[in-house]
Amino acid sequence: MYISMKKILSLAVSLFLLTESFAQNPVINIQATQPVSTIQPTMWGVFFEDINMGADGGIYAELVKNRSFEFFKPLMGWKIERKKAEEGDIIIQNRQGNTVNPRFISIKANNVAKGELGITNEGFKGMGIKKGLRYDFSVLYRHQKGAVKLHVELIDSKGNTIGETTLIPTANGHEWKKEAISFNATETEAKGKFRIWFEGNGEIDLDMISLFPEDTWKKRPGGMRADMIQLLADMKPGFIRFPGGCIVEGYDLSQRYQWKKTLGSIEDRQLIINRWNFEFAHRPAPDYYQTFGLGFFEYFQLAEDIGAEPLPILNCGMACQFNTAELVPLSELDSYVQDALDLIEFANAEPNTKWGKVRADMGHPAPFDLKFLGIGNENWGPQYVERLKIFTKAIKAKYPNIKLVNSSGTDPNGDRFDYLNKELRDMKADIIDEHYYRTPDWFLKNAGRYDSYDRNGAKVFAGEYAAQSDKTVSVKNVNNWKCALSEAAFMTGLERNAQVVNMASYAPLFAHAEGWQWTPDMIWVDNLRSYGTPNYYVQKLYSTNKGTHVLNTSENGKPLTGQGDLYASGILDKATNEVILKVANISDKEQIREVNLEGIKKFDAKAKLIVLKNTNPEALNTFENATNVSPVEETITLNPKKKISLTLAPNSFTVLRVKLL
Ligand code: AHR
């Protein structure tokens, strides 16, 4: 075959240009053999608060709302069903002497048949009922006169019975007794209700009327909603912060979170109003209370279940400064400080101590191994510093190894922040909690925020953050891909600075589609379904690809903090001997980079590539399309003799795991 000289020349030129253009792809250089600093196992965690129906009506799987009639309106959530009306046949009474759970309901049944006299509970925006599942009904009762049967039933949104049984009280007399009975649902229903029909002739008092599904997390009776907890467990979070958030502070001090009141049997846990009940006039939630069926013991147990360090936050003697800003006088702070000391004893001491015994009696003789404790949520000003100093002195004197988390207020900049940041650093704070609810653009511009932080000073806990598609507290905020990608980009900066940033968590965590006060939120649920937002998948990609050491990762000698619309961080996982590279490409163009693992002679030809992408920055996940924006994982083949060529899709977050040999 004859090939002309001209053709040979032109082929040679094209080949040259091709190699040249490949050679011209910018290089991301990772100094893979020189770890810069360690990454704390706590690096990526979760923040839990009872907001947006997070606990009651959320992860706490109780289906009955206002089970103890202690809401401000005692029959809120209940409907009285009367075919034969009789004055005084259903009344609310108040036990004098019981300050924790005074109210109960009294039924006078005057020869009634099933269907004539009853009470119906509407649940939290309805009850999610599943066909074939067992439901456990329990009640505290006092059967003073005659004989009254309880026909309990689940009903669907049209009023049809979809599961039923009958409880015949076994005890008579003046003593309260707890009894339980289970039955199965015959249909699935998202908007179910629960009803008790009374039958017979007599008088019966009822309290703590409760209904739980069988399929709770770890099948614990009275436990948590398994699908929601599974989403957390799948993240393998390094810590769980609880119980908030502003509910720690309370609207006033009487409504602050008091952990000691959340222990023991549920009828002894005093309900209080949830501060999100009335916080936003534009999102009123008049039926939002905290029953504390989910209390501190359960939070510690949850942390243990999902392998996360528990991070409780306590009130520092200050109510929410956006609300009443009530202060405990310094001279009266003792009981608050004692609560902190007792909490450490509750979590860590042997069962032969006062609070260790309380834990053991609740079923956990082994310590929970608490290492971190937060003092104050979003508190600020000199009043906070004064109180914090008192807490710190007392806690460090008794428990020098407990790391204390301190608040830097509500914002990541401004006078409040500057004042606290300086004071706390002067105090040699262990960990400073920073919060930022900002625009996606802020997150992109702040990817280098921690590059200049003091390496030897206080550590940072990015304790609450979320990109706001509209503005903070706007009801228009959505969990779109643009926001999630900006968080992914920003988080490369947290990871690069793991020497300074030891913990980070997105906030808020959960929201019920019909019961939220605050958006955006990481996980959305209704009565039967739950899904992770694009933001959830970003968080999950970080926490399940967290590694142990930071590696210097640069392009043209500089960390990638937005040059060419790219953000990157490289880390080492010593446990698996892998280099993990994370790159956010915020442009709408595909980009190619060569990745150089400096100092590495051999790596496995098989590598893992995980990509989270969507060409539409407005893309959302929904109940119907829950994985619209979700990671796709593949095994790719590399040429171990060459640099790695990495194609970065438009609007994407890429995780590459390369095994070193
Ligand atoms: O996450 C919602 C709220 O935002 C938290 O309760 C509070 O700490 C912050 O202001």
Side-chain angles (χ1 to χ4, degrees), residues 314-559:
L314 294 184
N315 186 295
C316 63
M318 301 173 80
C320 179
Q321 288 160 277
F322 289 120
N323 300 148
T324 59
E326 271 184 353
L327 292 176
V328 178
L330 292 179
S331 56
E332 293 172 28
L333 203 59
D334 285 4
S335 65
Y336 286 69
V337 175
Q338 194 58 47
D339 275 356
L341 297 172
D342 291 343
L343 179 62
I344 301 170
E345 185 175 298
F346 171 76
N348 290 355
E350 294 302 320
N352 60 2
T353 59
K354 178 177 170 195
W355 287 101
K357 179 170 180 338
V358 175
R359 182 196 69 238
D361 289 349
M362 288 185 78
H364 203 287
F368 281 121
D369 193 18
L370 176 70
K371 301 184 184 85
F372 304 93
L373 179 60
I375 305 298
N377 174 45
E378 277 182 346
N379 296 110
W380 67 80
Q383 294 75 19
Y384 173 59
V385 174
E386 285 171 334
R387 280 157 186 76
L388 180 64
K389 282 183 178 162
I390 296 173
F391 273 91
T392 306
K393 195 170 166 207
I395 296 169
K396 290 287 180 184
K398 197 160 181 196
Y399 300 107
N401 294 329
I402 293 284
K403 296 258 180 261
L404 294 180
V405 173
N406 301 166
S407 158
S408 65
T410 52
D411 294 279
N413 48 18
D415 291 349
R416 251 180 219 161
F417 176 84
D418 293 343
Y419 164 76
L420 274 181
N421 197 38
K422 180 177 179 322
E423 287 287 330
L424 298 177
R425 284 172 187 278
D426 287 351
M427 280 168 65
K428 307 256 173 283
D430 294 326
I431 304 170
I432 300 178
D433 180 9
E434 298 187 2
H435 293 182
Y436 15 89
Y437 296 102
R438 290 288 190 273
T439 60
D441 197 44
W442 183 94
F443 279 86
L444 297 177
K445 288 198 175 112
N446 279 273
R449 175 178 173 91
Y450 296 106
D451 291 349
S452 56
Y453 266 52
D454 179 4
R455 310 278 114 179
N456 303 310
K459 303 302 175 198
V460 168
F461 168 30
E464 292 184 32
Y465 62 90
Q468 315 285 296
S469 64
D470 187 26
K471 56 179 187 280
T472 318
V473 177
S474 163
V475 293
K476 291 191 203 144
N477 287 324
V478 289
N479 286 92
N480 64 25
W481 175 227
K482 180 179 178 179
C483 288
L485 184 57
S486 74
E487 289 152 9
F490 173 77
M491 289 162 78
T492 59
L494 301 184
E495 191 166 70
R496 180 174 57 256
N497 289 288
Q499 196 173 359
V500 171
V501 183
N502 284 184
M503 308 172 114
S505 47
Y506 183 96
L509 182 52
F510 289 113
H512 190 289
E514 292 174 57
W516 57 272
Q517 295 79 47
W518 181 296
T519 178
D521 304 286
M522 197 165 85
I523 294 168
W524 285 82
V525 308
D526 63 14
N527 292 343
L528 288 172
R529 301 170 295 176
S530 46
Y531 71 86
T533 58
N535 317 68
Y536 168 81
Y537 288 110
V538 166
Q539 295 292 322
K540 188 175 167 191
L541 281 178
Y542 271 91
S543 58
T544 54
N545 293 283
K546 75 178 164 195
T548 53
H549 293 79
V550 177
L551 299 173
N552 243 327
T553 301
S554 58
E555 187 175 297
N556 297 323
K558 288 196 184 129

Side-chain angles (χ1 to χ4, degrees), residues 169-244:
T170 56
N172 279 296
H174 301 303
E175 292 302 313
W176 286 91
K177 183 170 176 5
K178 184 172 180 174
E179 231 162 291
I181 193 164
S182 299
F183 60 103
N184 283 45
T186 54
E187 294 299 332
T188 293
E189 169 65 58
K191 290 283 185 184
K193 290 182 185 171
F194 172 68
R195 179 178 290 158
I196 306 176
W197 289 118
F198 302 100
E199 185 198 335
N201 200 21
E203 286 177 25
I204 191 163
D205 300 328
L206 307 178
D207 199 358
M208 303 304 292
I209 300 175
S210 169
L211 188 71
F212 272 90
E214 167 199 10
D215 64 345
T216 54
W217 170 251
K218 291 194 177 283
K219 295 262 167 90
R220 287 199 186 108
M224 301 190 200
R225 198 174 131 175
D227 61 327
M228 293 172 75
I229 302 300
Q230 190 60 54
L231 282 163
L232 295 189
D234 292 346
M235 293 174 75
K236 303 192 191 316
F239 66 89
I240 175 164
R241 167 182 168 159
F242 56 87

Side-chain angles (χ1 to χ4, degrees), residues 52-230:
N52 304 318
M53 280 172 62
D56 286 273
I59 62 171
Y60 185 50
E62 173 65 88
L63 292 169
V64 176
K65 182 168 75 181
N66 192 12
R67 64 186 173 191
S68 61
F69 309 97
E70 301 298 335
F71 283 18
F72 178 65
K73 294 183 181 172
L75 281 174
M76 187 175 244
W78 293 95
K79 183 171 169 241
I80 293 181
E81 314 277 357
R82 269 194 194 99
K83 293 271 159 66
K84 278 200 308 193
E86 273 201 38
E87 197 69 49
D89 52 6
I90 295 190
I91 52 171
I92 296 294
Q93 299 202 58
N94 189 310
R95 295 180 196 86
Q96 301 303 292
N98 182 341
T99 51
V100 172
N101 177 24
R103 290 186 187 145
F104 59 92
I105 193 165
S106 293
I107 318 294
K108 206 186 274 179
N110 187 6
N111 272 322
V112 287
K114 182 180 174 189
E116 289 182 336
L117 183 69
I119 50 175
T120 300
N121 190 275
E122 66 189 22
F124 299 88
K125 315 288 172 195
M127 297 177 183
I129 305 297
K130 295 176 198 157
K131 183 176 179 175
L133 197 69
R134 195 190 77 218
Y135 287 82
D136 301 329
F137 164 71
S138 68
V139 63
L140 265 182
Y141 72 88
R142 190 167 64 166
H143 196 201
Q144 309 228 57
K145 266 192 202 162
V148 183
K149 282 184 195 168
L150 274 56
H151 297 283
V152 298
E153 59 185 32
L154 286 167
I155 46 180
D156 68 13
S157 55
K158 297 192 185 83
N160 303 311
T161 303
I162 53 168
E164 58 187 324
T165 190
T166 302
L167 182 99
I168 303 174
T170 56
N172 279 296
H174 301 303
E175 292 302 313
W176 286 91
K177 183 170 176 5
K178 184 172 180 174
E179 231 162 291
I181 193 164
S182 299
F183 60 103
N184 283 45
T186 54
E187 294 299 332
T188 293
E189 169 65 58
K191 290 283 185 184
K193 290 182 185 171
F194 172 68
R195 179 178 290 158
I196 306 176
W197 289 118
F198 302 100
E199 185 198 335
N201 200 21
E203 286 177 25
I204 191 163
D205 300 328
L206 307 178
D207 199 358
M208 303 304 292
I209 300 175
S210 169
L211 188 71
F212 272 90
E214 167 199 10
D215 64 345
T216 54
W217 170 251
K218 291 194 177 283
K219 295 262 167 90
R220 287 199 186 108
M224 301 190 200
R225 198 174 131 175
D227 61 327
M228 293 172 75
I229 302 300
Q230 190 60 54

